[in-house]
C-alpha cells in the first residue's frame, strides 16, 4: 500500500518498480472484485483468525481472544494472534499481493489447509469503507521486539513507528478503522454485528462483539454447526434443522439430507424445498471455508438436477476464487459435486426402500427433478420409475399402479391429444399415458428396459379404432350412402370416415391422427406442389400409409339425425361441420385447407338455417 517512486533495481539498471494508485485500486475492488463493501468485515475476521492460528503453531497453549467492536464511526478488532515486527509491518501490510501465508508451492498448499486467506490482499479491502486504518501489533515470534504502530490513509501513504515496550504488553494485533464519508452505514454497530454473525458464526475460535453501550460483549460464533450437534432423538434433530433452515433460507424444509463427505473435507446438510421450482432454476447454496462464510450464492456446488434442494456446508478442501466470494470450478469441485449428488441419490433410494409415505410427499412436489435425473441414471430409473406420478387415462397415478391393469401402454406426445382421447380410452379399457409433459416421453421409452414384460407404443388411430365397439352390420349397410357422402366430402382433407359406437355418448365425432398419417399428409402436399420429376419420385413412395380418421359415434343422437337427412348437400355440410368441431377439440394447428372448410361449413349451415322452406331454388 505504498506509492513509491520508480526505483532502479541494483542488479538490473533497466528495471523499475510499479507505482500504485491506491484510490484507483480501491475503486477497482469495490466495483469489480468484491460484490459489496460488506466483505471488509470478513477480511478483519479472517486476518484475526489466521493470526491466532499462526500463534498456536508457535505456542499451542496461548490464550485465544478475538474481540470485535463498533461505535462512533469506528470499527475495531483485537486478537491474541502472532503479531508483527516493524520489518514485517513494512513488508506485509504495505505490499500489495504479498501474504505472510505464502512460501513457495509447498507453503501455499500448507496455507490452504491451515489459513483462511490465500491471496495476500490483506487490509486493502478495508479501504472500501475506511479513510484511515491504524494497526498496533506486537510479535509473539520475537518477544524482544517492540510494539509497532502502522498508520495508513486512503491516499496511499503510511507510516510505521515503534512504540514503547509497555504500550502493548501482550502479543497480538489491534486494527482500528475510521469510516470514510458515505460509508457510515457499513460501520454502524448493528450492521457490523449482523455481518460478523453472517460471516463468522462457524469460525473455530470464540469471537465476541461489543457495541460500545457498556453491556457485556455478545458472542458472534455459534459452534458446533447445527448439523454436528448432539440431540436426544432424531425428531429433535429434525426440528432443530428445520428451524435452522427457516432462519437461514426463509422456508420450512420438506426433508433434510445429510451431506457428510469426510474424505473430501465436507460436512453439511441439504434442505428439500417445500414448493416446486423450475428445473432451469439454479439455487444458491451457502458454503463456509474453514468456518468462514465464503458465499451464499454458490450455484456450481451440486449437480444441475438437484434443483430441489438448498445446501449449507463447511469445507476445508475446496478452493475459493480470488475475491473469496465463490468456488473455483476445478477437478476437486467436480469430484465433490459428483459425491454430493450420489448422497442425494442415496437418500432417494433410502426413502423408496423404507419410507414410501415420505417419498410420495417428496415426489408430489418434485417429481420433475427426479424424472430429469432418472433419464440419465439407469439405477435410479429402476428404483424410482414405479413411484413416479404420470397422467393417465385412469387418472394421475404411478406406473406401477397403471401397468398392473394395462400391460400394453399407449402414449400421446401432446397434452391436447391426450385430453381429447383420455375419456374415450378410459371408457373402453385402453391404457393411455400423457407424455406431453417434460421428460415423460423419454422415461416411457426407457420403460421396457426396466420392465421387459411391458409393451410401450405411441398411440395411433388404428389402436383406438380397434378398441371402439363396431356397429352391427345391418345398421352400417343401411348407413352406407351417408358414409359414402361423408368420405367424399373429406377426401380432399386426407381424412377417412369410420362409424363406431363408443362412450361417452355426448361426443359426436372423434378426430384421430398419428405420426404416420401426418407424414403421409405432408408427402401429399409436397406432391401437389412438386415439378414433374419430384412428382414421379414422390408418387412412387405412395403406399398404404394410414390416413387421419374421423370416427362418428353411432350412439350419439345427432349423428343418427344427420345420417337420416334427405338432402345430400346438407348432409355433406353437416359432416364438414363435425370434422371442423372434432379438429378444434383436438387443438391441432389448422391448415389453410382446414380453415377454408370450417368457413364453408359454417356459412353453409347459416344459409340452410335462414333459407325459407318454401323459397324457390336459386337458379345459380
Amino acid at each position: 500500500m505504498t506509492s513509491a517512486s520508480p526505483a532502479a533495481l541494483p542488479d538490473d539498471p533497466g528495471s523499475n518498480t510499479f507505482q500504485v494508485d491506491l484510490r484507483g485500486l480501491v475503486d477497482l475492488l469495490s466495483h469489480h472484485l468484491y460484490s459489496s463493501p460488506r466483505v471488509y468485515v470478513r477480511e478483519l475476521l479472517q486476518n484475526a483468525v489466521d493470526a491466532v492460528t499462526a500463534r498456536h503453531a508457535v505456542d499451542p497453549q496461548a490464550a485465544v481472544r478475538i474481540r470485535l467492536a463498533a461505535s462512533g464511526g469506528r470499527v475495531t478488532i483485537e486478537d491474541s494472534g502472532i503479531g508483527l515486527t516493524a520489518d514485517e509491518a513494512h513488508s506485509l501490510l504495505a505490499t500489495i499481493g504479498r501474504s505472510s501465508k505464502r512460501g513457495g508451492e509447498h507453503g501455499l498448499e500448507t496455507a490452504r489447509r491451515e489459513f483462511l486467506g490465500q491471496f495476500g490482499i490483506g487490509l486493502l479491502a478495508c479501504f472500501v469503507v475506511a479513510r484511515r486504518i491504524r494497526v498496533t501489533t506486537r510479535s509473539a515470534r520475537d518477544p524482544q521486539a517492540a510494539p509497532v504502530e502502522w498508520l495508513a490513509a486512503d491516499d496511499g501513504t503510511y507510516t510505521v513507528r515503534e512504540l514503547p515496550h509497555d504500550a502493548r504488553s501482550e502479543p497480538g494485533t489491534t486494527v482500528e478503522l475510521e469510516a470514510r464519508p458515505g460509508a457510515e452505514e457499513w460501520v454502524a454497530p448493528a450492521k457490523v454485528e449482523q455481518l460478523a454473525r453472517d460471516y463468522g458464526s462457524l469460525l473455530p475460535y470464540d469471537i465476541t462483539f461489543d457495541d460500545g453501550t457498556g453491556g457485556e460483549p455478545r458472542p458472534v460464533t455459534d459452534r458446533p454447526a447445527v448439523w454436528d450437534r448432539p440431540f436426544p432423538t432424531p425428531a429433535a434433530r429434525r426440528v432443530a434443522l428445520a428451524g435452522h433452515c427457516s432462519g437461514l433460507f426463509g422456508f420450512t424444509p420438506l426433508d433434510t439430507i445429510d451431506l457428510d463427505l469426510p474424505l473430501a473435507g465436507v460436512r453439511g446438510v441439504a434442505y428439500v424445498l417445500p414448493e416446486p421450482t423450475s428445473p432451469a432454476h439454479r439455487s444458491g447454496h451457502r458454503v463456509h471455508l474453514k468456518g468462514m462464510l465464503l458465499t451464499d450464492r454458490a450455484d456450481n456446488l451440486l449437480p444441475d438436477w438437484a434443483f430441489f434442494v438448498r445446501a449449507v456446508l463447511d469445507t476445508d478442501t475446496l478452493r475459493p476464487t480470488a475475491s473469496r466470494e465463490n468456488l473455483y470450478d476445478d477437478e476437486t469441485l467436480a469430484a465433490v459435486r459428483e459425491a454430493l449428488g450420489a448422497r442425494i441419490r442415496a437418500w432417494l433410494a433410502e426413502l423408496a426402500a423404507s419410507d414410501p409415505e415420505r417419498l410420495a410427499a417428496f415426489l408430489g412436489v418434485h417429481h420433475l427433478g427426479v424424472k430429469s435425473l432418472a433419464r440419465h441414471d439407469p439405477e435410479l430409473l429402476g428404483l424410482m420409475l414405479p413411484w413416479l406420478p404420470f397422467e393417465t387415462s385412469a387418472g394421475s397415478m404411478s406406473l406401477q399402479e397403471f401397468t398392473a391393469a394395462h400391460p400394453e401402454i399407449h402414449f400421446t406426445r401432446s397434452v391436447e391429444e391426450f385430453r381429447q382421447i383420455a375419456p374415450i380410452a378410459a371408457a373402453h379399457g385402453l391404457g393411455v399415458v400423457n407424455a406431453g409433459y417434460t421428460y415423460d416421453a423419454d422415461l416411457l421409452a426407457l420403460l421396457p428396459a426396466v420392465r421387459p414384460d411391458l409393451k410401450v407404443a405411441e398411440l395411433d388411430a388404428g389402436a383406438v379404432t380397434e378398441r371402439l365397439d363396431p356397429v352391427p352390420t345391418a345398421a352400417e349397410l343401411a348407413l352406407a350412402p351417408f358414409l359414402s357422402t361423408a368420405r367424399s366430402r373429406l377426401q380432399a382433407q386426407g381424412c377417412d370416415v369410420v362409424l363406431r359406437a363408443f362412450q361417452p355418448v355426448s361426443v359426436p365425432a372423434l378426430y384421430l391422427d398419428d405420426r404416420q398419417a401426418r407424414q403421409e399428409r405432408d408427402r401429399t402436399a409436397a406432391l401437389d406442389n412438386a415439378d414433374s420429376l419430384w412428382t414421379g419420385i414422390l408418387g412412387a413412395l405412395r403406399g398404404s400409409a394410414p390416413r387421419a380418421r374421423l370416427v362418428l359415434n353411432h350412439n350419439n343422437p345427432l349423428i343418427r339425425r344427420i345420417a337420416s337427412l334427405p338432402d345430400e348437400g346438407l348432409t355433406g355440410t353437416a359432416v364438414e361441420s363435425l370434422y371442423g368441431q372434432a379438429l378444434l377439440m383436438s387443438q391441432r394447428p389448422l391448415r389453410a385447407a382446414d380453415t377454408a372448410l370450417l368457413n364453408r361449413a359454417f356459412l353453409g349451415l347459416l344459409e340452410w338455417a335462414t333459407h325459407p322452406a318454401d323459397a324457390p331454388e336459386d337458379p345459380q
Side-chain angles (χ1 to χ4, degrees), residues 67-71 189 208-218:
R67 179 175 176 271
L68 182 66
S71 63
T208 60
F209 175 78
D210 186 351
D211 61 5
T213 59
E216 284 293 319
R218 295 183 288 272

Side-chain angles (χ1 to χ4, degrees), residues 69-76 131-132 176-179 187-189 192:
S71 63
R74 295 175 184 270
V75 176
T76 304
R131 71 181 186 88
R132 186 166 63 177
E176 181 181 345
L177 309 182
E178 182 181 334
V187 299
V192 175

